[in-house]
Amino acid sequence: MTLSFFDQFMSPSLLGVPLMALALTLPWTLFPAPTPRWLHNRLLAIQNWFIGRFAQELLLPLSPAGHKWAMLFASLMLYLISLNMLGLLPYTFTPTTQLSLNLGLAVPLWLATVIIGMRNQPTIALGHLLPEGTPTLLIPVLIIIETISLFIRPIALGVRLTANLTAGHLLIQLIATAAFVLLPLMPTVAILTGGLLFLLTLLEVAVAMIQAYVFVLLLSLYLQENV
């Protein structure tokens, strides 16, 4: 029973062929295609409003040089929300519970912000490694600490998203299993457990959206330091 709780995080396969690529491309088919009409349908209007508000709030503290990332951040936000939300459906697989995938998203984007900072303003980018007014004896130690913290950033991005989604999925499966076992023994307790499971599912929907927002928000903060 303990091992079966973690079976949901295994990459699905058909006849020995991994279906990770299919799970990653499926969300794109759910997005409504833009139309040349002046009046859109409700779904497309809501999507355009959401993208506009999100881009406005996210890029507000950035300089005009960072506004070039608006399309990338908005697309990544919608993509992560779609992957996280689809993973809450029964008999589905959540690709964002895989640390390798999250690191594959976090490391290139973080590295792009660092390269931009080193190319455009190398003095300011390197100045973040040594705060102003540092005593002479602490300079080597602080440089090492700040360098380590810089390289930990993409790891923290990937681990945060993976841990939150994995913990939520495990908790949902544990409570659902408890409700199923208690149903023939103590129906009242099982019904109360089912109500708790419903509330937890609503919480996981919020977590799926919040974690996608936090992932993109931290990337924008890293970009803000380098533009």
Side-chain angles (χ1 to χ4, degrees), residues 24 97 128 140 207:
L24 292 176
T97 56
H128 292 152
V207 168

Side-chain angles (χ1 to χ4, degrees), residues 63-227:
S63 63
H67 293 177
K68 301 175 184 178
W69 291 60
M71 183 66 71
L72 176 62
F73 283 158
S75 302
L76 182 62
M77 173 75 173
L78 285 177
Y79 186 56
L80 289 177
I81 287 180
S82 302
L83 288 178
N84 296 344
M85 297 285 286
L86 288 176
L88 294 174
L89 297 176
Y91 302 103
T92 56
F93 172 69
T94 311
T96 45
T97 56
Q98 305 295 313
L99 182 59
S100 57
L101 172 65
N102 296 332
L103 289 179
L105 292 174
V107 172
L109 294 174
W110 163 83
L111 187 60
T113 62
V114 174
I115 293 176
I116 287 177
M118 291 295 183
R119 185 188 64 181
N120 296 339
Q121 44 186 14
T123 304
I124 298 177
L126 294 176
H128 292 152
L129 302 179
L130 184 62
E132 187 177 358
T134 304
T136 306
L137 294 177
L138 295 179
I139 289 178
V141 178
L142 281 180
I143 291 178
I144 295 174
I145 293 175
E146 292 296 331
T147 303
I148 293 175
S149 67
L150 178 65
F151 284 96
I152 282 179
R153 285 180 175 183
I155 301 176
L157 276 178
V159 170
R160 181 185 294 106
L161 183 59
T162 304
N164 281 281
L165 295 179
T166 301
H169 283 63
L170 281 176
L171 194 56
I172 286 178
Q173 187 168 1
L174 285 171
I175 295 180
T177 304
F180 180 76
V181 172
L182 291 174
L183 186 60
L185 303 177
M186 292 179 286
T188 305
V189 178
I191 293 175
L192 294 176
T193 306
L196 178 62
L197 179 62
F198 176 74
L199 296 177
L200 181 61
T201 304
L202 295 180
L203 177 62
E204 282 303 309
V205 171
V207 168
M209 294 186 290
I210 291 172
Q211 289 303 317
Y213 175 75
V214 169
F215 188 92
V216 179
L217 177 63
L218 290 177
L219 282 175
S220 69
L221 293 179
Y222 300 157
L223 179 65
Q224 183 181 353
E225 295 180 357
N226 294 284
V227 295

Side-chain angles (χ1 to χ4, degrees), residues 27-48 51 78:
W28 293 112
T29 62
L30 303 178
F31 296 153
T35 61
R37 301 177 181 177
W38 285 11
L39 296 177
H40 305 298
N41 55 36
R42 292 183 177 88
L43 183 59
L44 192 59
I46 292 176
Q47 176 180 308
N48 292 337
I51 293 176
L78 285 177

Side-chain angles (χ1 to χ4, degrees), residues 10-25 93 98:
M10 297 175 59
S11 179
S13 60
L14 179 63
L15 300 178
V17 179
L19 300 180
M20 176 68 81
L22 179 61
L24 292 176
T25 55
F93 172 69
Q98 305 295 313

